[in-house]
């Protein structure tokens, strides 16, 4: 266990559905991240939060909407997704948003869009 | 262009044998390099982290080396076990730029250990 939990572990949704992914870290970290991992592609960093403020936002489609209500919780709200959005979505946390701090990953949510 | 290339893409070895995974990068300026192990259906777990001044670092049966001059790193696994079957990801961090722009991920090497 890395101290980062994600729910659900698996999710199947239609293109018209709205769902949310949840991440919780029990490490007292100040930074949290959402990653997308597609088959045979490198991990893609989607969003970065530091102390509940979104620090950076990669060129992610607006159908993905992150929310960080406090430093321990991170959500990814999904709506009108496309089949190509099917992937493993990983949450991670680190002590600070600095290059020297190790990131601890959750187990991921396997998302399938039908 | 900053990139991280890993080889081989996949590898099968017999239990008890040693193996070496490669990571070549063009990321500059360099800050640090990490090796992660990712079991199927799980999130990546950090194995080692090395900065510019470190040439080698061990974590049990895992030994990582770094040659900052040639921009190459290797991960050597000794006396492999079935539990070593996983994807091994090389991540290089740049010394400047935004958080999103600092981290460069390799595609990983899929290692399978057979009994």
């Amino acid at each position: 266990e890395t101290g980062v939990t994600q729910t659900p572990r698996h999710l199947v949704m239609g293109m018209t559905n709205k769902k949310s992914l949840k991440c919780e870290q029990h490490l007292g970290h100040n930074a949290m991240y959402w990653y997308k991992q597609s088959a045979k592609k490198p991990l893609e960093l989607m969003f970065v939060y530091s102390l509940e403020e979104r620090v950076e936002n990669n060129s992610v489609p607006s159908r993905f909407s992150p929310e960080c209500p406090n430093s321990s919780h991170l959500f990814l709200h999904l709506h009108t997704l496309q089949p190509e959005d099917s992937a493993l979505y990983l949450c991670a946390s680190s002590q600070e948003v600095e290059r020297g701090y190790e990131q601890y990953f959750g187990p991921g949510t396997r998302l399938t869009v039908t | 262009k900053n990139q991280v290339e890993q080889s081989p893409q996949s590898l099968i070895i017999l239990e008890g044998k040693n193996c070496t995974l490669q990571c070549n990068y063009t990321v500059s300026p360099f800050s640090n390099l990490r090796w992660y192990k990712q079991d199927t259906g799980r999130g990546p777990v950090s194995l080692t982290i090395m900065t510019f001044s470190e040439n080698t670092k061990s974590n049990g049966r895992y030994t990582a080396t770094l040659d900052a001059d040639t921009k190459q790193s290797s991960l050597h696994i000794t006396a492999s076990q079935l539990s070593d079957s996983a994807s091994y990801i090389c991540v290089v961090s740049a010394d400047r730029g935004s958080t999103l722009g600092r981290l460069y991920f390799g595609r990983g090497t899929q290692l399978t250990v057979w009994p």
Side-chain angles (χ1 to χ4, degrees):
Chain A
E1 294 294 330
T2 62
V4 181
T5 59
Q6 290 186 243
T7 55
R9 293 295 308 277
H10 301 273
L11 178 62
V12 179
M13 59 185 290
M15 289 189 284
T16 58
N17 292 157
K18 290 184 180 181
K19 297 287 184 183
S20 295
L21 310 184
K22 179 183 177 181
C23 175
E24 184 174 359
Q25 58 99 356
H26 311 275
L27 302 169
H29 289 167
N30 292 323
M32 297 187 77
Y33 313 77
W34 277 119
Y35 286 88
K36 177 183 179 182
Q37 188 175 36
S38 304
K40 298 184 179 180
K41 292 178 67 176
L43 278 164
E44 302 171 53
L45 183 56
M46 301 173 72
F47 301 103
V48 182
Y49 275 82
S50 175
L51 295 172
E52 305 150 39
E53 295 291 328
R54 188 186 308 180
V55 176
E56 296 194 33
N57 173 12
N58 211 345
S59 52
V60 179
S62 59
R63 57 186 183 268
F64 294 92
S65 176
E67 177 190 2
C68 189
N70 55 63
S71 59
S72 298
H73 293 85
L74 185 64
F75 294 90
L76 188 62
H77 304 299
L78 317 171
H79 64 96
T80 59
L81 294 190
Q82 304 297 313
E84 60 265 29
D85 296 323
S86 298
L88 181 68
Y89 288 84
L90 291 162
C91 172
S93 72
S94 64
Q95 185 61 50
E96 305 289 347
V97 180
E98 292 295 336
R99 58 189 176 272
Y101 289 97
E102 179 180 347
Q103 293 186 10
Y104 293 79
F105 286 84
T109 295
R110 173 66 63 184
L111 174 66
T112 303
V113 181
T114 60
Chain B
K1 182 180 178 182
N2 289 321
Q3 286 186 312
V4 177
E5 299 289 340
Q6 291 188 244
S7 63
Q9 182 175 341
S10 63
L11 179 64
I12 300 174
I13 62 173
L14 294 177
E15 186 179 14
K17 298 296 185 181
N18 304 335
C19 68
T20 300
L21 314 180
Q22 297 290 342
C23 175
N24 298 335
Y25 62 92
T26 58
V27 177
S28 181
F30 174 84
S31 176
N32 60 64
L33 184 148
R34 292 185 173 94
W35 282 95
Y36 282 89
K37 177 187 178 189
Q38 185 175 18
D39 293 316
T40 301
R42 308 283 291 272
V45 175
S46 178
L47 293 175
T48 65
I49 176 172
M50 288 185 292
T51 58
F52 185 87
S53 59
E54 296 174 297
N55 300 119
T56 184
K57 183 166 282 188
S58 293
N59 178 359
R61 294 179 297 102
Y62 301 100
T63 299
T65 64
L66 173 65
D67 186 334
D69 293 330
T70 62
K71 298 187 177 182
Q72 295 179 326
S73 176
S74 65
L75 180 68
H76 186 75
I77 304 174
T78 305
S80 61
Q81 300 176 359
L82 298 179
S83 59
D84 293 331
S85 296
S87 178
Y88 292 84
I89 302 171
C90 176
V91 184
V92 181
S93 179
D95 197 25
R96 65 166 176 242
S98 64
T99 300
L100 284 170
R102 286 199 209 122
L103 296 176
Y104 298 88
F105 292 83
R107 295 176 186 234
T109 292
Q110 183 64 47
L111 174 66
T112 303
V113 180
W114 282 1

